[in-house]
Amino acid sequence: MALSRLCWARAALWGAAVTPGPYVTRKLQLARPRAGLAWGAPRLFDLPCRSSNLHLSPKADVKSLISYVVTKTKVINGKYHRFLGRHFPRFYVLYTIFMKGLQMFWADAKKARRIKTYMWKHNVKFHQLSYREMEHLRQFRRDVTKCLFLGIISIPPFANYLVFLLMYLFPRQLLIQHFWTPKQQIDFLDIYHALRKQSHPEILGYLERVIPLVSDAGLRWHMTELCTKIQHGTHPAIHDILALRECFSNHPLGMNQLHALQMKALSRAMLLTPYLPSFLLRHRLKTHTTVIHQLDKALAKLGIGHLTPQEVKSACYLRGLNSTHIAEERCRTWLGEWLQISCSLKGKTHPCGYATQVQIIFIFYSEITLELMSEYCETLILCINSFAYK
């Protein structure tokens, strides 16, 4: 009994768990006084394992907590979407389109940033990019310009509520295509093309009026024949259009010789704003048509066959054809003929003259060349006659 009490006292003193009894199976050892007390040869390599376990457990708890929160958020979000779709179907459609539009615009921004970073690191110019990269940057710049306008008008206090109302009332003017419904995309593109067509009679009437000012007799004859073919709805040949390339390099149809009213009509035909000073209109026309010419060269290098149906329709619409109601094969045919003309604009012409020569395609080689709008040709004849009468 006394031996058992002695064992318990020693165990309490040295901190070791010793089994009471007449036989002591674990020997307690005294260490040096300066080093402290030790017993049972403690294994030091166990200490890091214990500390690492202590550090890992909070991380595991945080990860499990985050996964739990994410799962619950998805469940709540799904219930919220079902609630909106059941009780507010029209608002739910707008909400879904807005959220998808934000995601698409954010993806476009990240892609544009990667392209710009690649251009900066490898010292690559815009015209040296691939067709899809050039087209993405061109479209993204236009989208950012539209979004900047919304950002500016929402700066005053409490103006953001008015901005949401304006976006709902005027989606065509204030929103980019990512935020349009499928029906709105077709309707708005038709509206834009109708605005574009309104300037065609004015441009063609001006071309007829400057025919006597062309110094070369052969060019005057070609211009007259081409205007006559368009008035009668005849499909002009490619060589008929290319024969007039010299007319757009100098007086009277050169870019530097155009008047303000003519540049405004061309700007409307290219869906550019006409409400700018003359020097800005001329600069924008040169920049826009030069970019299209660069896109044409990149597209000719890539090949029309590698484009998706949506890319084909977008390329045709940019170049003047309302491709929303036209079959894909006809769009590819039209685009191939366009590239055949556009890629021929080289040689003696000054690089800045590309802007003026591409106008010839916009004016003469849009929908009329494929005989897709016979009723427009009849209206065009009436408009030309009225211009001549005036």
Side-chain angles (χ1 to χ4, degrees):
M1 193 69 180
L3 183 58
S4 176
R5 290 177 180 177
L6 179 60
C7 292
W8 276 106
R10 294 182 64 183
L13 179 62
W14 300 109
V18 181
T19 306
Y23 300 101
V24 180
T25 58
R26 185 173 183 178
K27 297 180 180 180
L28 300 176
Q29 300 177 353
L30 285 174
R32 296 181 181 180
R34 292 182 181 180
L37 301 176
W39 62 93
R43 294 179 297 177
L44 297 179
F45 56 84
D46 288 340
L47 297 178
C49 296
R50 293 172 184 173
S51 61
S52 63
N53 290 335
L54 292 176
H55 286 292
L56 285 176
S57 56
K59 291 184 179 180
D61 294 340
V62 170
K63 290 182 179 180
S64 61
L65 178 62
I66 292 175
S67 62
Y68 174 78
V69 171
V70 170
T71 303
K72 285 297 182 182
T73 303
K74 290 181 178 179
V75 173
I76 295 174
N77 192 35
K79 292 182 179 179
Y80 176 68
H81 280 213
R82 289 191 294 270
F83 172 79
L84 289 180
R86 189 181 307 111
H87 296 87
F88 307 97
R90 297 183 61 183
F91 176 78
Y92 177 69
V93 172
L94 297 178
Y95 171 78
T96 305
I97 293 174
F98 183 77
M99 296 304 297
K100 289 183 179 179
L102 285 179
Q103 296 174 0
M104 295 170 65
F105 183 72
W106 180 248
D108 289 347
K110 292 193 294 184
K111 184 177 179 180
R113 183 176 179 272
R114 288 196 300 267
I115 297 174
K116 297 294 289 186
T117 303
Y118 171 79
M119 294 173 62
W120 178 76
K121 287 184 178 180
H122 298 84
N123 195 21
V124 176
K125 303 299 181 182
F126 176 78
H127 66 275
Q128 296 174 334
L129 296 172
S130 64
Y131 170 77
R132 288 189 173 92
E133 292 173 340
M134 294 170 63
E135 175 61 23
H136 183 83
L137 285 182
R138 185 202 64 82
Q139 185 61 43
F140 182 73
R141 289 169 183 170
R142 294 179 65 90
D143 294 344
V144 168
T145 304
K146 224 172 188 180
C147 294
L148 283 178
F149 176 75
L150 281 178
I152 292 173
I153 64 177
S154 62
I155 289 177
F158 305 104
N160 52 344
Y161 300 104
L162 178 62
V163 169
F164 282 110
L165 178 61
L166 293 176
M167 287 191 299
Y168 179 77
L169 296 177
F170 307 100
R172 178 175 64 87
Q173 293 85 353
L174 298 179
L175 297 179
I176 61 177
Q177 294 189 21
H178 295 331
F179 300 96
W180 294 350
T181 63
K183 184 179 183 302
Q184 286 177 339
Q185 291 184 5
I186 298 176
D187 295 341
F188 292 167
L189 291 180
D190 289 340
I191 293 174
Y192 278 127
H193 188 70
L195 297 175
R196 183 162 54 187
K197 286 194 306 181
Q198 292 177 2
S199 61
H200 289 176
E202 183 178 354
I203 297 172
L204 189 56
Y206 171 73
L207 288 177
E208 287 191 320
R209 290 195 300 269
V210 301
I211 288 177
L213 302 179
V214 179
S215 58
D216 189 278
L219 293 178
R220 284 201 306 269
W221 182 81
H222 279 294
M223 181 75 74
T224 305
E225 285 293 318
L226 190 58
C227 291
T228 304
K229 287 183 179 181
I230 292 178
Q231 292 174 12
H232 293 83
T234 305
H235 192 309
I238 294 177
H239 62 83
D240 293 334
I241 299 175
L242 291 177
L244 298 173
R245 53 185 299 177
E246 299 297 333
C247 294
F248 292 84
S249 301
N250 44 41
H251 183 78
L253 296 175
M255 177 65 71
N256 296 327
Q257 286 77 33
L258 295 178
H259 301 294
L261 293 178
Q262 300 154 12
M263 289 188 294
K264 288 182 178 180
L266 286 172
S267 298
R268 289 193 298 268
M270 301 178 190
L271 296 180
L272 301 176
T273 176
Y275 308 108
L276 293 174
S278 299
F279 68 96
L280 288 179
L281 288 176
R282 184 174 286 108
H283 174 72
R284 290 202 68 186
L285 285 172
K286 287 183 178 180
T287 303
H288 182 74
T289 50
T290 302
V291 167
I292 291 179
H293 185 72
Q294 293 171 349
L295 286 170
D296 290 341
K297 292 193 294 185
L299 180 56
K301 184 178 179 180
L302 174 65
I304 301 177
H306 292 84
L307 297 182
T308 62
Q310 182 60 37
E311 290 175 338
V312 171
K313 289 183 175 293
S314 299
C316 291
Y317 192 88
L318 174 64
R319 290 156 178 82
L321 178 69
N322 188 9
S323 55
T324 54
H325 307 286
I326 302 176
E328 178 191 347
E329 292 302 323
R330 300 197 70 177
C331 290
R332 291 184 184 273
T333 303
W334 187 91
L335 190 58
E337 294 176 348
W338 172 287
L339 293 181
Q340 187 176 354
I341 295 178
S342 178
C343 295
S344 301
L345 299 179
K346 58 184 179 180
K348 298 180 180 180
T349 309
H350 190 271
C352 292
Y354 284 143
T356 60
Q357 292 186 2
V358 175
Q359 295 168 17
I360 208 172
I361 310 175
F362 274 95
I363 298 168
F364 295 116
Y365 209 69
S366 57
E367 299 169 357
I368 305 173
T369 59
L370 294 181
E371 301 177 1
L372 297 174
M373 297 181 63
S374 58
E375 68 278 6
Y376 170 68
C377 295
E378 297 174 359
T379 307
L380 190 61
I381 295 173
L382 296 176
C383 292
I384 292 172
N385 292 334
S386 63
F387 272 96
Y389 178 78
K390 291 179 181 179

